[in-house]
Amino acid sequence: MKMRYVLAVLVENKPGVLVRVAGLLSRRKFNIESVAAGKTGDPGITRITIEVEADEKTLEQVIKQLNKLVNVLKISNLTSEPAVIRDLLLIKVRADASNRNEISQIVETFRAKTIDFSPQSMIIEVTGNEEKMEALMLLLSGYGILEIARTGKVALLRGSKTLINNGEARENGKNVL
Amino acid sequence: MKINGAQMVIEALKKEQVDTVFGYPGGAVLNLYDQLYDADIRHIMSRHEQGAVHAADGYARATGRPGVVFATSGPGATNLVTGIATAHMDSVPLVIFTGQVAIPHIGTDGFQEADITGITLPVTKHNYLVTDLADLPGTIREAFYLATTGRFGPVLIDLPKDIQAATGEFRYPKTVSLPGYNPVYQGHPGQIARAAKAIAQSKKPVIYAGGGVVWSGAEQELLMLAEKTGIPVATTLMGLTGFPGTHPLSLGMLGMHGTYWANMAICEADLILAVGARFDDRVTGKLSNFAALAKIIHIDIDPAEIGKLVDVSIPIVGDVRRVLAELIKKTEPCHTSHWLDRINEWRAEAPLCYHQEEDGEICPQFVIEQIYRETGGSALISTEVGQHQMWTAQYYRFTRPRSLASSGGLGTMGYGFPASIGMQVGRPGELVFCIAGDGSFQMNIQEMATLSTYNLPVKVAVINNQYLGMVRQWQEMFFRRRYSSVDLKQVPDFVKVAEAYGVLGLRAEKPSEVIPAIRRAIAEPGPVVIDFRVKAEENVFPMVPPNSPISEMVRGNG
Ligand SMILES: Cc1ncc(C[n+]2csc(CCOP(=O)(O)OP(=O)(O)O)c2C)c(N)n1
Ligand SMILES: [Mg+2]
């Protein structure tokens, strides 16, 4: 059965490492929903969060193939663990004096933020899970959505556990699949 | 003492005990070639960069040591791509150095600039663009380490001109630090015990052995396991030298042009022990029918190969040689005599066959069988790609480790001839035969100059059927004999080609001329090209039509 999985991938911060990861995912025809990459506390390490739609067997292949990349340090499937998963969304919506207040109410209800105004539009920033975003977009579409930008998902394990200390990623000597 | 980047490359090669480099010079590697001029390293200059990389590949397959290649930037580098991809598909260890435009010119479409690290990303195990001289020694150390550990493969280092010219201290690191690269060599003891138990419980076991046996040097262990347990062994094209083809337990090759008995054995088996093999579609035919009754044990150094195409009951990640050595200790002789009888019935039912009439045209299979007989199976063989390749797999019984170089995964025409040059360079005392198709030979025929220049005594046996035979066969069988662009029209005259390069050219046109030509070639101290004019429309049988179960073989040839 196909499902969406969120993978956190720690890679060495080497030139071209993003291309290696993205190239691998595309040439093996894996279905990628989003990719988000950024620095970590360690300047030598970049964290890439990948959302992939796959069945279990394909997911296993995605993880194994990524693991073959020399620059990939660790991969963790956060879908099966308690994790905070967030996506940042910026929406530019058509708005004028007549409906600005109405829209602001929606923004408040969704604990989103208005971050820019113009006579004909406003920009709203929201983070959260998929359902919340979908619901907000649906409501705002009534006013006319002009443009959308999103970061793609990023995620952390809940609690004090981290990817480095006891993530479930590959370890030296682990050879039972 | 300070030395320049090009000198560092040479020093590093010495540390890696490299004695031979295959390559072709150009503007972006002038520094490298200047250093080669009086270095203690032999350089084999090809006539095309593709020839150099295939030769390095043949060298690696014949010796087990990494092949090393030099080429210039831009067109020199892009000419390597087919050879790199060929090596990548067959897990051949190569370290390739390409020149690159100077760092300030990178990204500006400079003269002879090509993004070779970008281009080769999907066909290398790893690659590097060196942008700081201080990184160079460590990068070379890593490249050799990566190429020759875990699952082997080609690694490319792109060297900008200014890096080659810049000077600095050379310190060659003893160790590498690759935190993301940890190949597993030792098999999990619990899994090995489970495998031994499954073997003990099986009634119809088959070993399916691939190129992993060859690369890990597990020929001896495989033989011991088969003999101890009595389990028959079918091999892939890549695994042919992994198990003696003359052994009573050998089933020969399996798959599309495998033997009927190997394929039937797979179909009826209750246990498959896949060893260093990757369930390629040329082997499995229709995947859902492949070994449908069998439990599968899969041993491989690359965890990503396990479960990639078929579900495996007992996965064992590890080096094939070490895992087999452990497995041998845990296994007992199996009662396979009934099973072997059953297989022998299949063997009798549909043996490999062709009909060589005494004064008819030469059968291509006959030529290959005679090369086998005349060499006693002791030659090193390279093949090109096509019908002659499959006939070689069927009729030449390989008994010696590392005695075959053939492009399996990529199926690269133009591979075999330059590869034979590399084999001969790597194992100079040995008799090397290149079994070539008339089409494939022409894809890198310029390497005749290399053969001639270095006076390498390779014997090139051109199986000249005047066709792109394998394509013609498919057109005959699946496209109603509509022969579209497969006629090679008996051009060129290969004897004259040989002579033009200063090489002895022989021709055999009648069956009675085959053996004398082979003997004459073997007796000749230098290189020889033999033009075997063979039957044009002979087909390779048996054959599994594409996407059919491997039990459904077209037998042909009566
Ligand atoms: C570089 C390349 N181009 C095309 C093919 C497709 N192809 C596979 S076999 C073959 C015919 C080979 O002809 P020849 O070398 O004469 O061998 P034969 O089959 O006649 O023995 C062709 C064109 C290929 N494998 N490689
Ligand atoms: Mg031909």
Side-chain angles (χ1 to χ4, degrees):
Chain A
M1 199 194 58
K2 281 206 173 179
M3 228 184 94
R4 286 196 180 176
Y5 295 91
V6 175
L7 304 178
V9 184
L10 295 182
V11 301
E12 288 180 283
N13 183 15
K14 295 263 167 96
V17 67
L18 269 179
V19 181
R20 285 179 201 278
V21 170
L24 176 96
L25 296 170
S26 95
R27 77 177 168 268
R28 295 222 176 238
K29 293 278 171 292
F30 296 134
N31 236 331
I32 302 306
E33 301 291 325
S34 75
V35 176
K39 289 183 187 166
T40 64
D42 179 342
I45 296 178
T46 297
R47 185 177 180 118
I48 306 176
T49 311
I50 301 169
E51 190 187 10
V52 55
E53 195 185 66
D55 55 29
E56 262 181 54
K57 198 172 161 164
T58 311
L59 177 74
E60 189 184 312
Q61 265 296 304
V62 172
I63 293 173
K64 284 174 163 181
Q65 292 294 345
L66 282 171
N67 253 328
K68 279 178 74 168
L69 294 177
V70 173
N71 299 135
V72 168
L73 300 171
K74 223 153 215 204
I75 303 174
S76 198
N77 178 0
L78 300 184
T79 323
S80 50
E81 305 211 26
V84 184
I85 300 174
R86 289 290 180 273
D87 187 354
L88 182 115
L89 178 67
L90 298 176
I91 312 175
K92 187 179 287 179
V93 65
R94 191 169 281 140
D96 54 28
S98 73
N99 57 13
R100 198 166 286 146
N101 282 346
E102 209 176 303
I103 297 176
S104 294
Q105 286 230 302
I106 297 174
V107 169
E108 223 167 280
T109 315
F110 277 82
R111 296 209 197 126
K113 269 192 273 180
T114 305
I115 51 173
D116 186 54
F117 274 116
S118 82
Q120 267 84 47
S121 71
M122 53 204 275
I123 297 179
I124 294 152
E125 174 192 313
V126 60
T127 62
N129 59 28
E130 198 72 38
E131 296 93 75
K132 179 174 162 185
M133 305 240 177
E134 295 293 332
L136 179 62
M137 281 194 284
L138 187 70
L139 278 176
L140 293 178
S141 63
Y143 302 93
I145 293 176
L146 298 170
E147 209 173 8
I148 286 178
R150 343 180 27 158
T151 57
K153 295 209 164 96
V154 293
L156 285 179
L157 291 167
R158 285 190 186 275
S160 58
K161 204 169 153 189
T162 71
L163 242 57
I164 305 280
N165 65 26
N166 49 4
E168 51 135 38
R170 109 186 194 188
E171 285 160 60
N172 200 356
K174 180 183 170 204
N175 56 357
V176 188
L177 302 157
Chain B
M1 197 189 70
K2 289 194 169 186
I3 59 175
N4 73 21
Q7 274 169 295
M8 289 188 188
V9 173
I10 303 294
E11 289 308 313
L13 292 183
K14 286 188 198 153
K15 298 262 187 213
E16 296 292 342
Q17 283 155 20
V18 172
D19 54 14
T20 309
V21 172
F22 299 87
Y24 203 87
V29 282
L30 281 166
N31 279 294
L32 266 185
Y33 275 83
D34 186 58
Q35 291 305 324
L36 267 183
Y37 186 74
D38 43 19
D40 246 358
I41 290 176
R42 178 156 62 147
H43 179 256
I44 303 291
M45 185 188 129
S46 63
R47 290 300 182 276
H48 185 299
E49 289 84 355
Q50 188 186 350
V53 63
H54 288 326
D57 172 314
Y59 175 94
R61 293 196 210 217
T63 64
R65 297 197 300 271
V68 180
V69 180
F70 284 1
T72 192
S73 66
T78 55
N79 268 350
L80 297 173
V81 173
T82 303
I84 298 173
T86 303
H88 186 62
M89 283 292 251
D90 292 344
S91 309
V92 180
L94 298 181
V95 177
I96 300 138
F97 293 86
T98 48
Q100 182 54 279
V101 299
I103 293 168
H105 295 131
I106 293 180
T108 67
D109 305 315
F111 177 63
Q112 294 195 325
E113 180 185 357
D115 172 16
I116 199 63
T117 47
I119 290 169
T120 59
L121 206 69
V123 294
T124 48
K125 181 167 173 183
H126 195 58
N127 64 23
Y128 299 88
L129 168 63
V130 181
T131 53
D132 183 347
L133 182 64
D135 295 339
L136 181 56
T139 300
I140 300 175
R141 180 78 183 83
E142 275 182 29
F144 276 91
Y145 180 75
L146 286 171
T148 56
T149 56
R151 180 175 178 177
F152 299 173
V155 179
L156 181 140
I157 302 175
D158 202 18
L159 277 180
K161 270 174 96 147
D162 43 352
I163 294 283
Q164 294 170 46
T167 53
E169 283 303 331
F170 176 74
R171 237 172 273 107
Y172 202 60
K174 286 212 170 54
T175 54
V176 293
S177 162
L178 292 162
Y181 178 76
N182 304 296
V184 172
Y185 294 101
Q186 218 64 53
H188 189 280
Q191 294 294 89
I192 293 175
R194 281 180 64 202
K197 199 167 156 209
I199 290 171
Q201 287 167 350
S202 72
K203 298 208 160 48
K204 301 173 173 184
V206 177
I207 294 173
Y208 150 42
V213 173
V214 174
W215 287 120
S216 78
E219 294 90 352
Q220 207 51 44
E221 285 73 11
L222 180 59
L223 183 62
M224 281 166 67
L225 179 71
E227 289 187 337
K228 181 171 182 191
T229 57
I231 303 178
V233 180
T235 78
T236 66
L237 179 70
M238 295 292 93
L240 276 174
T241 62
F243 193 77
T246 48
H247 197 282
L249 288 170
S250 168
L251 305 181
M253 186 170 74
L254 78 167
M256 182 174 275
H257 291 296
T259 62
Y260 175 68
W261 55 94
N263 286 354
M264 291 308 290
I266 295 281
C267 291
E268 276 202 13
D270 63 358
L271 181 79
I272 301 286
L273 177 58
V275 188
R278 59 183 177 82
F279 297 84
D280 182 83
D281 55 271
R282 281 293 184 272
V283 163
T284 63
K286 191 173 172 205
L287 199 57
S288 53
N289 291 64
F290 184 77
L293 307 174
K295 198 175 203 177
I296 296 179
I297 303 170
H298 192 178
I299 306 171
D300 207 288
I301 187 98
D302 181 357
E305 285 305 340
I306 297 180
K308 183 179 82 176
L309 291 162
V310 299
D311 293 328
V312 170
S313 321
I314 307 175
I316 307 176
V317 177
D319 170 54
V320 164
R321 193 172 60 78
R322 295 195 209 181
V323 173
L324 289 182
E326 290 304 311
L327 192 54
I328 291 165
K329 292 186 205 156
K330 296 217 158 60
T331 45
E332 298 295 330
C334 305
H335 303 286
T336 54
S337 61
H338 284 300
W339 175 226
L340 295 175
D341 288 346
R342 174 103 179 99
I343 292 173
N344 280 334
E345 282 167 26
W346 288 316
R347 214 188 273 264
E349 190 186 328
L352 289 172
C353 65
Y354 61 91
H355 301 295
Q356 179 62 65
E357 283 164 32
E358 227 169 280
D359 31 49
E361 292 174 287
I362 302 174
C363 289
Q365 302 94 321
F366 176 72
V367 176
I368 289 157
E369 203 159 31
Q370 297 317 311
I371 293 174
Y372 169 64
R373 293 233 169 100
E374 293 300 319
T375 59
S378 68
L380 306 184
I381 302 287
S382 79
T383 79
E384 291 286 355
V385 168
Q387 293 182 308
H388 63 280
Q389 178 188 34
M390 292 298 108
W391 285 318
T392 305
Q394 292 178 338
Y395 290 95
Y396 196 97
R397 312 269 193 98
F398 291 89
T399 50
R400 299 182 62 205
R402 305 195 174 287
S403 58
L404 172 65
S406 189
S407 168
L410 202 66
T412 307
M413 288 173 71
Y415 166 80
F417 175 47
S420 73
I421 292 177
M423 291 181 103
Q424 187 75 78
V425 167
R427 287 168 68 175
E430 310 244 7
L431 176 60
V432 178
F433 261 87
C434 166
I435 298 180
D438 47 334
S440 302
F441 186 33
Q442 292 182 66
M443 284 221 175
N444 273 314
I445 201 163
Q446 77 288 341
E447 299 308 325
M448 283 297 294
T450 314
L451 195 66
S452 177
T453 310
Y454 295 96
N455 195 29
L456 297 164
V458 173
K459 319 302 173 193
V460 183
V462 184
I463 308 300
N464 187 351
N465 53 10
Q466 305 153 58
Y467 273 118
L468 296 174
M470 188 56 94
V471 179
R472 185 206 54 73
Q473 175 172 345
W474 283 55
Q475 290 177 349
E476 177 184 331
M477 293 175 69
F478 310 116
F479 290 86
R480 294 180 290 121
R481 285 189 118 251
R482 286 156 56 88
Y483 288 172
S484 180
S485 298
V486 290
D487 190 350
L488 294 171
K489 304 219 187 300
Q490 206 56 278
V491 181
D493 179 327
F494 290 109
V495 172
K496 284 190 180 154
V497 168
E499 286 165 355
Y501 283 102
V503 167
L504 175 65
L506 304 174
R507 175 167 292 131
E509 289 173 297
K510 291 191 259 167
S512 61
E513 294 168 358
V514 170
I515 293 172
I518 295 169
R519 289 189 180 157
R520 172 81 210 279
I522 294 174
E524 173 73 22
V528 182
V529 173
I530 321 169
D531 181 23
F532 290 103
R533 298 285 177 93
V534 301
K535 216 162 145 185
E537 297 194 38
E538 187 69 10
N539 287 336
V540 185
F541 290 121
M543 175 178 190
V544 180
N547 304 317
S548 299
I550 59 171
S551 54
E552 290 173 21
M553 299 196 86
V554 181
R555 291 201 215 153
N557 290 351

